[in-house]
Amino acid sequence: VDAGGRGEGWTGEQFDHIVKRYQEYAQFAQDHGFKMGAENHWGTEGIWSNLKKLYDAVDHPAFGLSIHLGGWKGTAEEKVAWDREAAPFALHTHIAWNITQGEDLEARLAPFWRAGYPGYYSVEHHSGENEYRNVGIQLERVREALQKLGATK
């Protein structure tokens, strides 16, 4: 669930409102047997320090983070670092085409693997062209990277 906001940070009033709502949502999730979280790639929560501050403030066992690998607003180096820092708090991941095709995917997934990430490694593709084929390619690349990580355990 996106937290909202468009700037580099939330006002105090905005932050308090967002935290309160996420605490309510997290309690509902816990009461109904699931977990929920905030996603990192829209608006203000696309900056790691903001999302970490939100995670810490909500402070609920049914609250975590939905990480769009590489979806942060920062530089390429910041995006890699922020994925690594967010891994221990992740409840969900989704991996874009560019991450599965142009980078060392094993290295990008390793922080999640080492953190004991409990969820599925999902892929995201929305070009409108050859999507079934491309998702299959993405899934195979993710499987290969996870198999390599499992072999190095």
Side-chain angles (χ1 to χ4, degrees), residues 23-44:
Q23 288 170 334
E24 292 170 358
Y25 299 157
Q27 188 59 53
F28 179 88
Q30 185 173 28
D31 292 346
H32 293 85
F34 65 97
K35 295 183 179 186
M36 60 82 57
E39 188 167 354
N40 69 311
H41 78 299
W42 294 111
T44 306

Side-chain angles (χ1 to χ4, degrees), residues 23-99:
Q23 288 170 334
E24 292 170 358
Y25 299 157
Q27 188 59 53
F28 179 88
Q30 185 173 28
D31 292 346
H32 293 85
F34 65 97
K35 295 183 179 186
M36 60 82 57
E39 188 167 354
N40 69 311
H41 78 299
W42 294 111
T44 306
E45 72 267 24
I47 300 168
W48 169 241
S49 59
N50 293 333
L51 198 57
K52 178 65 165 84
K53 178 182 172 185
L54 178 62
Y55 175 85
D56 290 341
V58 172
D59 190 28
H60 195 285
F63 183 76
L65 302 178
S66 175
I67 303 301
H68 176 126
L69 267 75
W72 304 98
K73 285 183 163 183
T75 66
E77 293 80 18
E78 286 172 327
K79 290 177 183 185
V80 170
W82 294 349
D83 280 343
R84 191 172 44 248
E85 292 177 42
F89 312 104
L91 297 176
H92 173 76
T93 64
H94 49 292
I95 308 160
W97 175 259
N98 65 311
I99 302 295

Side-chain angles (χ1 to χ4, degrees), residues 112-125:
F112 295 89
W113 182 266
R114 285 193 289 271
Y117 167 65
Y120 292 97
Y121 293 84
S122 304
V123 298
E124 176 180 272
H125 189 90

